[in-house]
């Protein structure tokens, strides 16, 4: 059986349906809640990224960073050290 480390290493390929280990990974996911959660979160993250890129092909990290800063400013979180 694959180890959790091995599953994590190929999780992205697994979501792309791009790995010969597909069935071994499925078997591992059946038995391992941690990796199930990991793969689910990875999928959510990828879906969100794909959506952002799909909405505006000109989006770059600069824009994302500025939006993030603007949002943080709005929330007015107290500074912590
Ligand atoms: Zn695992």
């Amino acid at each position: 059986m694959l180890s959790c480390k091995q599953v994590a290493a190929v999780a992205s390929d697994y979501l792309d349906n791009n790995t010969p280990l597909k069935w071994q990974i499925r078997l591992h996911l059946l038995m391992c809640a941690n990796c199930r959660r990991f793969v689910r979160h990875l999928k959510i993250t990828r879906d969100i990224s794909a959506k952002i890129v799909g909405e505006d092909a000109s989006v770059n990290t600069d824009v994302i960073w500025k939006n993030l800063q603007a949002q943080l400013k709005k929330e007015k979180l107290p500074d912590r050290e």
Side-chain angles (χ1 to χ4, degrees):
M1 188 163 119
L2 294 172
S3 70
C4 293
K5 241 184 185 171
Q6 288 172 307
V7 171
V10 295
S12 189
D13 287 338
Y14 171 71
L15 289 174
D16 287 334
N17 217 353
N18 194 20
T19 171
L21 300 173
K22 186 170 143 187
W23 293 105
Q24 289 179 66
I25 293 168
R26 284 210 173 158
L27 187 67
H28 183 102
L29 292 179
L30 276 175
M31 292 185 272
C32 180
N34 284 333
C35 286
R36 273 204 300 277
R37 197 180 316 130
F38 175 77
V39 169
R40 194 172 67 228
H41 284 186
L42 183 65
K43 186 175 186 322
I44 292 169
T45 308
R46 283 163 45 114
D47 286 351
I48 291 171
S49 315
K51 199 169 168 244
I52 291 170
V53 172
E55 277 168 4
D56 185 351
S58 70
V59 164
N60 56 41
T61 49
D62 231 36
V63 174
I64 293 170
W65 176 234
K66 272 176 191 152
N67 283 342
L68 189 64
Q69 281 180 315
Q71 210 156 4
L72 288 174
K73 246 185 217 170
K74 256 194 265 168
E75 287 176 18
K76 284 179 188 155
L77 293 172
D79 287 329
R80 275 181 224 161
E81 297 201 335

